[in-house]
Amino acid sequence: MKMIIISPGALTIPAINGGAVETLIDLYLDYNEINLHNEIIVFANYEKNNNVYKKYEYTKFEYINKNSKIFKIKRVIYGVLNKLSMKKLGNAYINAVKKICKKKYKFVDKILIENMPEYVLPINRLYGKKKIVLHQHNDFLNTDTPNSKEIIEALSKIIVVSNFVKSKILEINSTANIEVLYNGVDLTKFYKEKKQKKNIVIGYVGRIVPEKGLRELIEAIKIINKKNIACEYSLNIIGGNKNGIEDTYCKECKKIAKDEKNIHFLGYKDNSLLNEEYCKIDVSIVPSIIDDACPLSVIESIVSGCALICTNSGGIPELVSDNAIIIDRSNIINDLADKIEYLLNNCNKIEEMKEKSRNYAIQYDSSNYCLNLNNNIK
């Protein structure tokens, strides 16, 4: 199969700068090298320090330099034209992709568009409906999405990461061809036996942005710190900008936590190092306050053998079993504090939940994910 993968374009691929969607694309490309040998062309944002692409034999990379002067000028032009025209013309990135496709890749079997419904119609004009598959990771295609009906009509299939996302699309078109495929991770990279220790490590792994609920988690830990707890504990926060640049929200979170000696900001960690951090975590917290479709942090926590506390956000409840405690978002700070305190005073329960995560992990194996993704594309 000869296919094109169009990434969202915000980050580069291979995923040296992280990104959930980009990491999942990497998984598929790696699996393809060993097992499938599809001829793949990947479109992604250019990153001057990304030399990892050289390891691939069956994948060719087409990079769009979004920092170039020409690209920035085109971005302004398309922005103006889209405001003036009733017919959306796409943005500078997808039109750069189209230009290269028209010139070099007229004949392909499938086009996989990753998480960007607005790219569908511009690509449909070039290739037609039968070849285009949309892999939707977030709730970006719903009744509020411009041209949503036309987008669905232009697709041969939609692959979604949870029933939550599927339900939103079915509100637009109840007969849409949709398949649910939960995300996967490489079990061999993430699972390690956890060493026995006196200190219970609570972990947050993810972007430091308001919608992920880090501030609320810090406030919950501050409440717990004022109480008598049966064991020693700490909160490790993994995430941030790769370049170490802190935005207003990150600074605000650090300010709230500055007097708490057991809250540690560990900064950005490369994907290759995440397994080492997860290995230290006993209780992983995913305190999303928005409808998270299928966060990788939940799956990574499960396959790493962590106990879990998470919110009833979007598709998260679909991903967990009795290895997790699910809380409501309406009273998130107090509920987080109550449930974390309960586990800290009942360490046997933590061990029980960790064992359940280990037993539950096999369904998120990346090999099954990649094979099922490939079959769905075909």
Side-chain angles (χ1 to χ4, degrees), residues 131-245:
K131 293 187 176 183
I132 305 174
V133 177
L134 176 66
H135 190 189
Q136 197 56 46
H137 299 257
N138 298 95
D139 178 21
F140 293 164
L141 182 56
N142 52 52
T143 52
D144 295 325
T145 305
N147 306 309
S148 59
K149 292 181 180 178
E150 292 84 351
I151 289 169
I152 293 173
E153 286 296 319
L155 292 164
S156 63
K157 191 168 195 174
I158 305 170
I159 304 168
V160 296
V161 297
S162 64
N163 282 299
F164 166 74
V165 178
K166 179 178 178 179
S167 68
K168 295 291 187 175
I169 298 173
L170 289 177
E171 290 177 5
I172 307 165
N173 184 336
S174 60
T175 62
N177 183 15
I178 308 175
E179 187 78 21
V180 176
L181 176 62
Y182 296 121
N183 293 335
V185 299
D186 186 342
L187 301 188
T188 62
K189 289 183 179 178
F190 275 87
Y191 179 69
K192 291 182 181 178
E193 285 290 341
K194 296 181 186 290
K195 297 178 181 178
Q196 292 293 325
K197 54 188 186 299
K198 294 180 180 179
N199 181 50
I200 297 295
V201 176
I202 302 161
Y204 169 92
V205 182
R207 291 182 295 134
I208 299 182
V209 291
E211 58 266 29
K212 292 295 184 179
L214 177 58
R215 176 176 177 167
E216 286 75 9
L217 173 57
I218 293 170
E219 295 283 9
I221 295 296
K222 290 181 70 173
I223 292 172
I224 298 169
N225 284 349
K226 295 175 182 177
K227 300 184 178 184
N228 293 320
I229 302 298
C231 64
E232 295 180 10
Y233 62 96
S234 60
L235 170 63
N236 286 356
I237 298 167
I238 298 106
N241 191 297
K242 183 178 181 180
N243 299 319
I245 300 171

Side-chain angles (χ1 to χ4, degrees), residues 99-341:
K99 186 176 180 180
I100 296 171
C101 288
K102 196 171 183 179
K103 184 178 180 180
K104 298 170 65 175
Y105 307 111
K106 291 182 180 179
F107 304 103
V108 294
D109 299 302
K110 291 291 179 180
I111 300 95
L112 180 67
I113 296 176
E114 289 284 355
N115 207 36
M116 300 297 281
E118 59 265 43
Y119 294 172
V120 171
L121 296 181
I123 294 300
N124 179 59
R125 297 181 193 116
L126 193 61
Y127 288 105
K129 172 180 178 176
K130 292 183 179 180
K131 293 187 176 183
I132 305 174
V133 177
L134 176 66
H135 190 189
Q136 197 56 46
H137 299 257
N138 298 95
D139 178 21
F140 293 164
L141 182 56
N142 52 52
T143 52
D144 295 325
T145 305
N147 306 309
S148 59
K149 292 181 180 178
E150 292 84 351
I151 289 169
I152 293 173
E153 286 296 319
L155 292 164
S156 63
K157 191 168 195 174
I158 305 170
I159 304 168
V160 296
V161 297
S162 64
N163 282 299
F164 166 74
V165 178
K166 179 178 178 179
S167 68
K168 295 291 187 175
I169 298 173
L170 289 177
E171 290 177 5
I172 307 165
N173 184 336
S174 60
T175 62
N177 183 15
I178 308 175
E179 187 78 21
V180 176
L181 176 62
Y182 296 121
N183 293 335
V185 299
D186 186 342
L187 301 188
T188 62
K189 289 183 179 178
F190 275 87
Y191 179 69
K192 291 182 181 178
E193 285 290 341
K194 296 181 186 290
K195 297 178 181 178
Q196 292 293 325
K197 54 188 186 299
K198 294 180 180 179
N199 181 50
I200 297 295
V201 176
I202 302 161
Y204 169 92
V205 182
R207 291 182 295 134
I208 299 182
V209 291
E211 58 266 29
K212 292 295 184 179
L214 177 58
R215 176 176 177 167
E216 286 75 9
L217 173 57
I218 293 170
E219 295 283 9
I221 295 296
K222 290 181 70 173
I223 292 172
I224 298 169
N225 284 349
K226 295 175 182 177
K227 300 184 178 184
N228 293 320
I229 302 298
C231 64
E232 295 180 10
Y233 62 96
S234 60
L235 170 63
N236 286 356
I237 298 167
I238 298 106
N241 191 297
K242 183 178 181 180
N243 299 319
I245 300 171
E246 296 179 356
D247 62 12
T248 303
Y249 180 75
C250 183
K251 291 176 181 177
E252 182 182 314
C253 288
K254 286 191 172 183
K255 184 177 180 180
I256 296 168
K258 71 175 183 177
D259 294 326
E260 311 300 321
K261 298 187 184 303
N262 63 345
I263 298 179
H264 311 295
F265 285 82
L266 304 183
Y268 173 87
K269 298 290 180 181
D270 188 81
N271 285 333
S272 61
L273 301 175
L274 274 183
N275 61 326
E276 296 178 15
E277 297 302 329
Y278 274 113
C279 188
K280 302 170 188 174
I281 295 171
D282 298 291
V283 182
S284 180
I285 314 291
V286 184
S288 296
I289 56 178
I290 58 157
D291 282 328
D292 243 335
C294 183
L296 270 181
S297 56
V298 172
I299 297 174
E300 289 167 350
S301 298
I302 292 170
V303 302
S304 300
C306 301
L308 260 165
I309 298 177
C310 46
T311 56
N312 59 346
S313 160
I316 290 177
E318 300 174 40
L319 305 176
V320 299
S321 182
D322 51 0
N323 60 324
I325 295 173
I326 300 175
I327 64 170
D328 191 78
R329 290 174 285 178
S330 60
N331 189 26
I332 184 171
I333 294 174
N334 289 324
D335 281 354
L336 277 173
D338 288 345
K339 297 302 186 290
I340 294 170
E341 181 184 355

Side-chain angles (χ1 to χ4, degrees), residues 43 62-66 71 74 78 91-102:
F43 285 90
E62 295 282 1
Y63 290 116
I64 310 298
N65 189 353
K66 296 173 73 173
F71 183 89
K74 288 183 177 179
Y78 280 111
N91 60 24
Y93 174 77
I94 195 59
N95 280 289
V97 171
K98 270 184 66 178
K99 186 176 180 180
I100 296 171
C101 288
K102 196 171 183 179

